[in-house]
Amino acid sequence: MSEYRTIKVATDGGVTIVTLNRPEALNALSSAVLEELIAAFAAFQADDGQRCAVVTGEGKAFAAGADIKELAATSAAQFYAADGLSRWQSHLVRAVRKPWIAAVNGFALGGGCELAMMADLIIAADTARFGQPEIKLGTIPGMGGTQRLARAVGQARAMELILTGRMMDAAEAQGAGVVARVVPADGLMDAALETARTIAAMPPLAVLAAKEAVHAAANLPLEDGLVLERRLFHLLAGTEDKAEGMAAFIEKRTAEWKGR
Ligand code: CO8
């Protein structure tokens, strides 16, 4: 859509494609990028025809982190007064109930790695590189890196990466559990779109519930997570889509989802 300056947004059927578009700054995540991502995600969430999103980067980076020039000019008082960085979590994670995929095409560093880890799943080009180099700038990750990386790869490797700023290549990131799938760079968008289209074709309520339940695994004690899973399972038992899905299986035909 033409009103965006720092991102590009397109749709392909039920899939929204968001491309970070500041290649001259390796898609550094400025406050303008955040505002536009918030608008794009709100539009994605609000549009019943859109079922899955893919976020990628233009050029050789997914995103090389927060915009260091902007960060350098922001005081502690400004950050604290604005509860700086909280809107990534509230608008790109909590407010987005539909699934989205990070298609990581190159550098995903600092805030870029954190943005990728906010996604419901990461598909990476074999050329992708992941890291939290904030320590080299005299700071630490500020939008989830210490928490999500530690949950994804375990404390030992997260500690090593965050204390040294070392980058992981795509193969290591996959082996460590950050990345769902690694594909050749020239096939990245095809692979991400194929996965997104597959998700977009699934029954919408079950997709929402599955996302909610899997995220709860990172946040809740096991007993509480198991209760949430069961309650969502019970809820889905009352949907038309569940009746349709099971009838279609028994009748050997393709199900038609209604989202209710
Ligand atoms: N911010 C602003 N500009 C950047 C950034 C960035 N993070 N990264 C690259 N650029 C700019 C460069 O300044 C350069 O601009 P110019 O041509 O005007 O000099 C242009 O992009 C190209 O970059 P390089 O010439 O450096 O490209 P190289 O291929 O030589 O190097 C690297 C690529 C290794 C990725 C290198 O650019 C680099 O190290 N970048 C910084 C990575 C980094 O430290 N990221 C962490 C930032 S701090 C952070 O993310 C805090 C997270 C918590 C807050 C999150 C809020 C969003």
Side-chain angles (χ1 to χ4, degrees), residues 24-26 28 60 64-68 85 88 109-111 114 134 142-143:
E24 70 290 350
L26 302 188
K60 71 176 182 181
D67 190 311
I68 296 171
L85 309 182
W88 292 88
L109 302 176
E114 294 171 300
E134 290 90 341
M143 41 188 262

Side-chain angles (χ1 to χ4, degrees), residues 112-131:
C113 186
E114 294 171 300
L115 174 63
M117 290 191 295
M118 286 177 199
D120 299 300
L121 66 100
I122 300 176
I123 298 178
D126 52 8
T127 50
R129 305 188 73 188
F130 296 83

Side-chain angles (χ1 to χ4, degrees), residues 20 25-29 61-68 106-113 131 133 137:
L20 303 166
L26 302 188
N27 300 323
L29 301 169
F62 176 74
D67 190 311
I68 296 171
F107 293 113
L109 302 176
C113 186
L137 301 169

Side-chain angles (χ1 to χ4, degrees), residues 65-150:
D67 190 311
I68 296 171
K69 291 160 195 166
E70 207 174 81
L71 275 191
T74 309
S75 70
Q78 285 169 324
F79 270 131
Y80 186 64
D83 194 13
L85 309 182
S86 64
R87 298 172 77 231
W88 292 88
Q89 174 69 12
S90 57
H91 288 74
L92 270 53
V93 180
R94 266 198 239 115
V96 185
R97 298 181 64 214
K98 299 174 188 175
W100 63 281
I101 297 170
V104 176
N105 51 302
F107 293 113
L109 302 176
C113 186
E114 294 171 300
L115 174 63
M117 290 191 295
M118 286 177 199
D120 299 300
L121 66 100
I122 300 176
I123 298 178
D126 52 8
T127 50
R129 305 188 73 188
F130 296 83
Q132 299 287 168
E134 290 90 341
I135 194 96
K136 297 181 189 172
L137 301 169
T139 186
I140 66 169
M143 41 188 262
T146 63
Q147 305 303 299
R148 290 197 175 93
L149 193 62

Side-chain angles (χ1 to χ4, degrees), residues 1 4 7 9-18 36-55 91-93 95-101 119-120 196 199-200 207-208 211:
M1 273 155 46
Y4 295 114
I7 64 175
V9 180
T11 55
D12 174 342
V15 176
T16 297
I17 304 162
V18 179
E36 295 194 348
L37 283 175
I38 288 174
F41 272 72
F44 162 62
Q45 178 63 36
D47 184 341
D48 287 343
Q50 292 301 298
R51 299 281 171 76
C52 188
V54 175
V55 177
H91 288 74
L92 270 53
V93 180
V96 185
R97 298 181 64 214
K98 299 174 188 175
W100 63 281
I101 297 170
D120 299 300
I199 295 169
V207 167
L208 293 187
K211 169 170 167 161

